[in-house]
Amino acid sequence: MSERLSVFKTYKLYVGGKFPRSESGRVYEVTDSKGKWLANAPQSSRKDARDAVVAARKAFGGWSGATAYNRGQVLYRVAEMLEGRRDQFVREVADAEGLSKSKAAAVVDATVDRWVWYAGWTDKIAQVVGGANPVAGPYFNLSSPEPTGVVAVVAPQESSFLGLVSVLAPVIATGNTAVVVASEKAALPALSLGEVLATSDVPGGVVNVLSGRTAEIAAPLAAHQDVNAIDLAGADEVLAKELEIAAADNLKRVLRPQPVDYFETPGTERLTAFLETKTVWHPTGSLGASGSSY
Amino acid sequence: MASAFEYAPAPESRSVVDIAPSYGLFIDGEFVEAAEGKVFKTVSPSTEEVLSEVAQAGAEDVDRAVRAARKAFEKWSALPGSERAKYLFRIARIVQERSRELAVLETLDNGKPIRETRDADLPLVAAHFFYYAGWADKLDHAGFGADPRPLGVAGQVIPWNFPLLMLAWKIAPALATGNTVVLKPAETTPLSALFFADICRQAGLPKGVVNILPGYGDAGAALTAHPDVNKVAFTGSTAVGKEIARTVAGTSKKLTLELGGKGANIVFDDAPIDQAVEGIVTGIFFNQGQVCCAGSRLLVQESVQDELLDALKRRLSTLRLGDPLDKNTDIGAINSAEQLARITTLAERGEAEGAERWSPACELPSAGYWFAPTLFTNVTQAHTIARDEIFGPVLSVLTFRTPDEAVAKANNTQYGLSAGIWTEKGSRILAVANKLRAGVVWSNTFNKFDPTSPFGGYKESGFGREGGRHGLEAYLDV
């Protein structure tokens, strides 16, 4: 009996909740760690990057305006969907990173758990980093965190899935929207993640995933006037400096690359990196002139 | 408006402050000459009188100061927090003791009214040191994890609009967290920082922990670019802020920026008009409007525009412009000839683009740098005066019809530092405050500051916060 011929998947970008090919019509060959052909991934252009920013901006109002509880529900739903596709991602991560099946399984399990961890943060971070300020005067004064806006995420190159989720989840957990530049060599887990997000109640445009040459896609994002922040996790030293210089043009918040063990439970740094603190004052007034406060 | 009684002059005495004819740089606990021997003059903006001649720092001096700060860092950062706290408490107390002297000095060097330096700047300076003094031995509880560490040497560059207050905002949290500092005050207002150096001497602060380098932009650039500076904090223009962001790109320097603003003061039709008028006046004429968080755009609901503008014009007619040392003065001098030229140019541009200009009858002194309080009506969002930061006593008035339109117009700026909301309806305040992209929102009040309350911007107004628990983060390795 001859072996059944399998059906290949055409990998596509994930932009604005849809799955377009690159507008440039270009693809590039993605191989496994041994050089075996895996897929022709879309090679995104500057125009694809700009389209993704438009989609992310459009989604920002709704996503940042959603209740924190609702965002937590949605993020948890992502973990549920991932769990159901566990085998697929174990295979993709094993191929992408040259890992044994058991090591890849550990990566995928950690990734699902990471989503769950961040899902629980959505309605707690404001209580941890915001609060009342005891000003010296008759004023009610409250500081609350708010999302910075549209965040460009240069995903880690080596940790194509756990690393990706570790930098993406905190960005959207707090209400930002994201344009992700997938790992260049290991883009497939990121592109498949787009399919998971599309089926997990994440509104279109909240996460946009682009594959291609990191430098080519990241440069227009770093220079884009409607991008508010950039995470340089997956940029090498030379590229990171170039991108940071470009980002200065509209004073983007920049998270520089740093050595991270993605298996370690993270702190709150990635959550707070793309939060603004808004402080609201209001006079407290007084009740009558009797001096009695009760 | 003729008044039944004229004001008699009520000048604050200058005798409380003794300004030396010349000052050096303050490096490693000593006043020294600049390596290149350069000096510059600082003048009083209200009279153009030369107050003193000050040493001008160059790159070599920056290097010397950074080395002094690096040397001091080892012992300073190793001190128990409770000991650092006591130094800061000493500084806070000495500021209080010398506050009248410093208030007069600040008014002389900056041009702002004594009423402001005496009642706003100086009390806030002391309060800032008190507040951060208490943090020095409580950093484990600040929400940044156990045992957060200082960064090292902080290079700090501050503007001329609140010379001593900006120094306090920079130095207090830096010292509390165990960093040492090299601070460059603005070239038009170096004196209060040099007096602060003397306060550090009186407090017995170890040498090199605080270094003060008066100078120009080149010294600031050398400081922010210095390879042995671990943290850069800058307050000033957005253009320079962007330059600094490029300078530190690719390094490990931590950066915080407090830059320009174009704050919207939104007045709804149910606002208490008299209070709103006071808030508008505070918002744009406090410190002659030379405030990054000034409410320089008045957004008024169309139905109350006439009533509000009449009341506002009446109020402006009572403002007293003149000698900043007079205790009855509301509006002092513009800080420099250069700044006056910038304000003048932008106001002329407002007229040229078709906005309607109005100022109360107001006699300007013959010497010094002065600009009458000015309103522009019929301003649209496309006008330069609605978009560019003027940094002077110039208010642009725009109108709106619905809350959504007010929010859209308020947010239509590359800045995002401050905003004001005036309405009697609590839920509307909260709804609008939620939608405004600004770091500080004052509702039914304006231009209130407190050391416990974090201050800073969204978008191109910069990043990071100063003041409050949040203000510690900029100086910790977290």
Side-chain angles (χ1 to χ4, degrees), chain A residues 55 91 163 170:
Chain A
R91 208 171 45 246

Side-chain angles (χ1 to χ4, degrees), chain A residues 131-147:
Chain A
N133 305 306
V135 298
Y139 297 93
F140 175 76
N141 179 291
L142 190 73
S143 290
S144 317
E146 288 194 348

Side-chain angles (χ1 to χ4, degrees), chain A residues 139 146 148 253 256 278 281, chain B residues 253 433 436 443 448 462:
Chain A
Y139 297 93
E146 288 194 348
T148 294
R253 286 69 177 128
R256 294 178 180 139
K278 178 186 281 180
W281 294 66
Chain B
K253 286 176 189 163
L436 293 172
S443 20
K448 291 284 182 291

Side-chain angles (χ1 to χ4, degrees), chain A residues 29-293:
Chain A
E29 195 168 297
V30 177
T31 61
D32 68 11
S33 56
K34 297 185 186 68
K36 183 171 132 285
W37 182 87
L38 292 171
N40 295 320
Q43 191 184 327
S44 302
S45 65
R46 209 169 39 173
K47 177 76 169 76
D48 292 318
R50 288 203 298 257
D51 290 347
V53 173
V54 171
R57 173 59 60 195
K58 201 169 151 192
F60 178 67
W63 185 244
S64 61
T67 65
Y69 175 59
N70 178 241
R71 278 200 301 270
Q73 295 270 292
V74 171
L75 259 62
Y76 186 76
R77 181 77 179 157
V78 176
E80 288 177 341
M81 293 293 109
L82 270 181
E83 188 78 43
R85 290 194 183 216
R86 187 172 175 278
D87 290 351
Q88 174 201 336
F89 279 104
V90 169
R91 208 171 45 246
E92 285 190 338
V93 169
D95 284 344
E97 300 179 22
L99 300 175
S100 67
K101 206 161 171 190
S102 66
K103 282 215 167 88
V107 168
V108 173
D109 290 346
T111 307
V112 176
D113 292 352
R114 186 68 29 96
W115 271 115
V116 173
W117 194 76
Y118 276 116
W121 262 118
T122 57
D123 51 7
K124 297 167 191 71
I125 190 71
Q127 294 174 299
V128 171
V129 303
N133 305 306
V135 298
Y139 297 93
F140 175 76
N141 179 291
L142 190 73
S143 290
S144 317
E146 288 194 348
T148 294
V150 174
V151 182
V153 178
V154 184
Q157 299 294 347
E158 306 304 323
S159 185
S160 64
F161 192 50
L162 175 58
L164 164 74
V165 167
S166 298
V167 301
L168 170 62
V171 167
I172 61 170
T174 52
N176 295 290
T177 55
V179 177
V180 179
V181 183
S183 164
E184 184 171 326
K185 280 199 176 69
L188 303 188
L191 295 174
S192 290
L193 180 69
E195 297 161 20
V196 169
L197 297 169
T199 52
S200 346
D201 302 335
V202 178
V206 170
V207 179
N208 305 277
V209 184
L210 303 172
S211 58
R213 306 293 174 217
T214 299
E216 185 188 358
I217 314 167
L221 291 173
H224 199 295
Q225 294 296 299
D226 204 29
V227 171
N228 302 102
I230 185 164
D231 184 341
L232 301 173
D236 63 36
E237 203 177 323
V238 175
L239 179 62
K241 184 174 178 174
E242 278 171 27
L243 296 176
E244 190 175 346
I245 290 170
D249 213 43
N250 69 334
L251 291 163
K252 289 176 185 71
R253 286 69 177 128
V254 176
L255 189 58
R256 294 178 180 139
Q258 55 219 297
V260 186
D261 175 359
Y262 288 112
F263 277 101
E264 293 277 316
T265 303
T268 54
E269 188 205 349
R270 293 204 112 85
L271 285 162
T272 56
F274 306 119
L275 284 173
E276 307 292 321
T277 298
K278 178 186 281 180
T279 302
V280 180
W281 294 66
H282 194 278
T284 49
S286 60
L287 297 172
S290 67
S292 159
S293 43

